[in-house]
Every structure is written in C-alpha cells, then in structure tokens.
Amino acid sequence: AQEEVVETIIKEETVISEPARNQEDDLAQILLLLNADNQFATNSSEVNLKYVARLAQAVQIIQYYPQLHLHVVGYTDEIGNKEKNMALGQARADGVARYLEAFGINMDRISVMTSGEADPLFPGDAPHIRLTNRRVNITLSLKDNEIPAQEDL
C-alpha cells in the first residue's frame, strides 16, 4: 500500500511539474527570443548580454522539441570589405552557436553560416540602420525542411 502511495505521489508531482505545452505558443516564443536583441557592435562578434539571456530562455523551451534544428546566420553592415564582413558574420554566428551549445543544444542540431553584408534588413547607412543590420538571424526546421508547420511539432 505504501509503495502505491509513493508511485501516486511521483506521478502527481510529474504532472504538476510538467505543464502541458502549447506548441504554437512555444514556437512563437522561441522565434521571438532567438531574434530579438540580436545586434552587434561595429567590428565585433561579442554577443551582448541581453541576447545571451534570451538565448538561455529559448533553449529552455527548445529542449521540449528535440526534433527542431536551428539555422544561425551571421550578418554585418556594409562598412568594410566583403571578405572581412564574411569572416565577421561567421564569427557572430559561431559565437551564438557556442552559447546555444553551452546552454544545452547539441551542435548536431545547429547549422551555422554567414551572409556578411548581403541581405540587410534595411537599406541605408544611418547609424541605427547599420546597427539593425549587424545581427544574427535564427530560423527553425525539422531536419532538412524549412520552418515546420505547427502540427509537425
């Protein structure tokens, strides 16, 4: 009888500590966390602390979805030469991937690449536009597919 009580308590505690996940809300939250406060200082690949905190929060949710893969792309503004910007964009993406790994995402779930100065979010050279273009962008997929449909999660 006591063994049954212990098993019941364990089962009830598990239910209490594992609330039902809303996949649609989780996916939206993950994308918001991964793609906000994701800018970099000029000529820097140092990940800002606010973004590091967002990455940590995102990983807590991502761990519920082991089928998700993350695609990290690093970008720069248009200042500097293309080769340097390609290397800087790669360093930004690599730095973010290292944080994701440190927070618990296996590197086989992360792809990393650079676009350098290509594909700016906004055209122009005003300081606030350049800041916005110095970023990483993270998208999600299921294996080799594009962003998953909600029902696939």
Side-chain angles (χ1 to χ4, degrees):
Q2 187 173 9
E3 187 175 315
E4 289 176 351
V5 170
V6 170
E7 286 180 22
T8 301
I9 291 171
I10 291 172
K11 286 179 185 176
E12 288 176 8
E13 286 180 345
T14 301
V15 170
I16 291 169
S17 66
E18 291 287 336
R21 306 296 309 176
N22 181 312
Q23 294 173 352
E24 186 174 336
D25 290 346
D26 281 352
L27 182 59
Q29 185 68 16
I30 290 167
L31 289 172
L32 176 67
L33 289 166
L34 292 176
N35 292 297
D37 298 314
N38 56 342
Q39 293 86 20
F40 290 80
T42 301
N43 292 323
S44 174
S45 61
E46 184 176 334
V47 182
N48 76 68
L49 294 178
K50 192 171 186 180
Y51 189 48
V52 171
R54 287 185 179 275
L55 293 173
Q57 289 177 302
V59 166
Q60 289 177 351
I61 304 168
I62 291 167
Q63 290 179 345
Y64 286 99
Y65 303 97
Q67 72 275 34
L68 285 180
H69 292 252
L70 291 81
H71 306 279
V72 183
V73 182
Y75 297 89
T76 66
D77 59 25
E78 295 177 353
I79 304 298
N81 69 50
K82 289 185 180 190
E83 285 182 14
K84 180 181 174 188
N85 284 341
M86 291 297 283
L88 181 57
Q90 186 68 45
R92 289 173 175 168
D94 289 340
V96 168
R98 280 191 299 275
Y99 274 106
L100 291 168
E101 181 182 34
F103 292 136
I105 302 297
N106 194 309
M107 282 302 287
D108 66 358
R109 296 177 60 192
I110 303 171
S111 67
V112 181
M113 64 176 283
T114 182
S115 284
E117 63 190 56
D119 300 321
L121 280 179
F122 300 102
D125 62 356
H128 67 282
I129 291 175
R130 287 197 315 266
L131 172 63
T132 302
N133 290 333
R134 295 188 306 264
R135 70 195 190 282
V136 293
N137 186 54
I138 302 176
T139 56
L140 306 173
S141 71
L142 297 172
K143 298 186 181 178
D144 295 324
N145 299 330
E146 289 301 311
I147 296 175
Q150 300 300 324
E151 60 272 8
D152 293 337
L153 290 176

